[in-house]
Amino acid sequence: MAPPLPQPDTQVTSLPSTAANQAAPPVQAPTRSRDPRLDFYRGIAMFIILTAHIPGNRWTGWIPARFGFSDATEIFVFCSGMASAIAFGGSYSRRGWMMGSARVGFRVWQVFWAHIGLFFFIAMMMAALDTYGGFEKNYVNSLNLGHFFKDTMPQLVGLFTLTYVPNYFDILPMYLVVLGLMPLLMAMEKISLWAVAATSIAIWLAANPYVIGLGPDGLALPAEPWSDRKWFFNPFGWQLLFFTGFAFMKGWLPKPPVTKFLIAAAICFVVFSAPFGAWKVFRWVEAWNPDLADTIRPVWSLTSEWRNKSDFGLLRFIHFLSLAYLGWVIAGDGGKRLIASGHSLGARIWAVLLKLITKVGQQSLAVFVFSMALARLIGFALDQTDRAITTTAIANLLGYGLIILVAFAAAWFKSQPWRAKR
């Protein structure tokens, strides 16, 4: 919290005439500092997302998705909900529902064109590699874009109406629909917070009807006209996580208490659910105790819907909340452990890392769009090598460096340095 402004002296003293004729400078209100936890964890997610999208990347074997139900997508969506509470929640409070919804609509417009631009840029790259590269691998088909190039006109219409959403390009459309649900949830707030919770949960149940025994097929959106495939990221399921983050940052949900019981419960769930949620961990258990693995194996089929990623299954929600709580505890009150202090070498290194990760988190949309294109280029470069351990490490580290540069460049452009300063 910013320190209080100094109070003026009660005794009034006379001023020289020249000073009295000058207008006093306006007193600026104290600014609220940004919570470091939001940008730090969102920055971590950006690095993981780049790693996960590089084709044939050895490092993907060590991302969070290989050790439990949830992964970096949950971090991104949850933190986006928190950031939206900061960006749009204030607009609703200050300017009312209409102006708040107008601002959300403008953001939807921006994200939509980011999605369109990303698709065409990556499609162009894949087409260029296949047309002029002379490589054995078909890069267009590696992203399942063959239908787009063979029958372009209907797929072009589908692309702009979001009825054609290839798997690699599905995160931003999900984010678009979730943002589009915000005016509905904010309208429910005028009734009560219970109405907000009931609306979000009802939409999630419509996408996950198995929870109440209504079968596996729920509310979803079509992804392509030639098959029954649905969007990989079902926005009606994922909105629950988005608005959970929104509710925490908006103050609808109280911050969780830090207790030994909750810490132990979160750790136990994360650890003991790992063999049921991650094939990598299951293989470790199988090598250690085959009998235990035989006991676990049937649970995989029984829990398939509960850990489903497309519709955001309930086990993923519980797993992420457990990880998020542990991250909350580790960061400390107000994120104090994410604020660099001290002058030792270790403290200075930690300060630099914090600055870089936080900057990436602050510019998440620009970094995400860039990283999705960059990942395909890095994958192409690795195709020309033997994908050795050292080569893969260099490729990943180079990618990290480039998204950091993009984050700083995006921040520089947003600051509009060409405008005259007062």
Side-chain angles (χ1 to χ4, degrees):
M1 181 179 297
L5 292 174
Q7 299 298 319
D9 295 334
T10 56
Q11 181 180 3
V12 180
T13 57
S14 60
L15 297 174
S17 57
T18 54
N21 294 330
Q22 294 177 358
V27 178
Q28 294 183 350
T31 57
R32 180 184 174 185
S33 60
R34 190 178 178 94
D35 192 320
R37 292 168 293 192
L38 171 61
D39 295 325
F40 177 80
Y41 287 118
R42 190 161 56 169
I44 292 291
M46 291 298 100
F47 286 100
I48 298 172
I49 287 173
L50 172 63
T51 304
H53 284 88
I54 297 174
N57 187 6
R58 289 172 176 264
W59 285 23
T60 56
W62 301 98
I63 61 176
R66 304 296 179 261
F67 299 93
F69 295 114
S70 63
D71 56 28
T73 310
E74 277 82 357
I75 304 175
F76 177 76
V77 174
F78 183 79
C79 290
S80 294
M82 297 180 73
S84 294
I86 298 173
F88 309 120
S91 296
Y92 278 100
S93 300
R94 294 187 303 268
R95 304 298 304 276
W97 187 87
M98 285 293 295
M99 287 295 100
S101 298
R103 186 173 181 186
V104 172
F106 180 66
R107 185 59 169 174
V108 168
W109 175 259
Q110 290 176 315
V111 176
F112 175 79
W113 287 109
H115 166 66
I116 296 297
L118 176 65
F119 175 86
F120 277 109
F121 183 77
I122 294 181
M124 177 277 297
M125 286 197 310
M126 301 299 100
L129 291 175
D130 287 346
T131 303
Y132 304 108
F135 303 105
E136 294 182 4
K137 181 177 179 179
N138 188 306
Y139 286 94
V140 166
N141 288 338
S142 69
L143 283 178
N144 195 25
L145 298 179
H147 284 278
F148 178 80
F149 286 100
K150 290 178 182 178
D151 194 16
T152 302
M153 286 192 290
Q155 311 324 324
L156 190 61
V157 174
L159 180 69
F160 277 78
T161 57
L162 299 182
T163 55
Y164 171 53
V165 181
N167 272 344
Y168 192 74
F169 306 92
D170 42 22
I171 294 183
L172 290 181
M174 177 264 286
Y175 184 45
L176 280 171
V177 175
V178 172
L179 282 176
L181 291 173
M182 192 181 299
L184 171 63
L185 272 292
M186 296 306 295
M188 291 298 103
E189 185 195 22
K190 296 182 179 296
I191 301 174
S192 71
L193 293 183
W194 288 107
V196 175
T199 302
S200 181
I201 293 172
I203 295 173
W204 178 81
L205 286 173
N208 294 271
Y210 65 88
V211 175
I212 51 179
L214 296 181
D217 297 326
L219 180 64
L221 296 172
E224 55 195 21
W226 61 85
S227 76
D228 295 330
R229 186 176 70 83
K230 307 299 182 183
W231 286 19
F232 182 76
F233 290 108
N234 186 345
F236 304 116
W238 282 85
Q239 57 80 29
L240 178 65
L241 181 62
F242 178 92
F243 287 112
T244 300
F246 188 96
F248 273 118
M249 186 59 74
K250 193 75 164 62
W252 294 347
L253 289 174
K255 66 179 182 180
V258 178
T259 67
K260 293 181 180 179
F261 172 77
L262 287 178
I263 293 173
I267 292 174
C268 287
F269 185 84
V270 169
V271 172
F272 291 109
S273 66
F276 302 95
W279 187 249
K280 183 190 194 81
V281 181
F282 175 80
R283 286 298 192 188
W284 291 349
V285 173
E286 188 176 44
W288 170 59
N289 191 327
D291 293 335
L292 179 59
D294 290 338
T295 304
I296 294 174
R297 194 184 302 273
V299 181
W300 273 84
S301 58
L302 294 174
T303 61
S304 60
E305 293 170 352
W306 295 80
R307 54 187 167 84
N308 182 275
K309 183 172 184 177
S310 292
D311 300 323
F312 190 58
L314 184 59
L315 286 175
R316 299 185 70 91
F317 190 39
I318 299 173
H319 185 267
F320 174 76
L321 289 181
S322 299
L323 284 176
Y325 178 74
L326 294 175
W328 162 274
V329 173
I330 291 170
D333 186 28
K336 62 183 179 181
R337 296 192 184 95
L338 299 179
I339 300 174
S341 61
H343 302 285
S344 65
L345 177 60
R348 291 198 295 270
I349 293 175
W350 178 234
V352 172
L353 288 175
L354 281 176
K355 182 178 181 179
L356 298 180
I357 295 172
T358 299
K359 183 64 69 174
V360 170
Q362 290 171 348
Q363 308 299 330
S364 58
L365 180 60
V367 169
F368 174 81
V369 171
F370 176 77
S371 68
M372 295 297 282
L374 177 64
R376 305 311 298 186
L377 288 175
I378 294 176
F380 163 72
L382 287 174
D383 286 342
Q384 316 311 312
T385 70
D386 56 358
R387 295 182 181 271
I389 294 176
T390 303
T391 304
T392 302
I394 293 173
N396 280 275
L397 294 175
L398 177 62
Y400 297 163
L402 288 174
I403 64 174
I404 290 170
L405 288 176
V406 166
F408 277 93
W412 185 81
F413 279 107
K414 284 184 178 180
S415 70
Q416 300 183 0
W418 49 83
R419 297 183 64 179
K421 303 297 182 181
R422 290 188 178 181

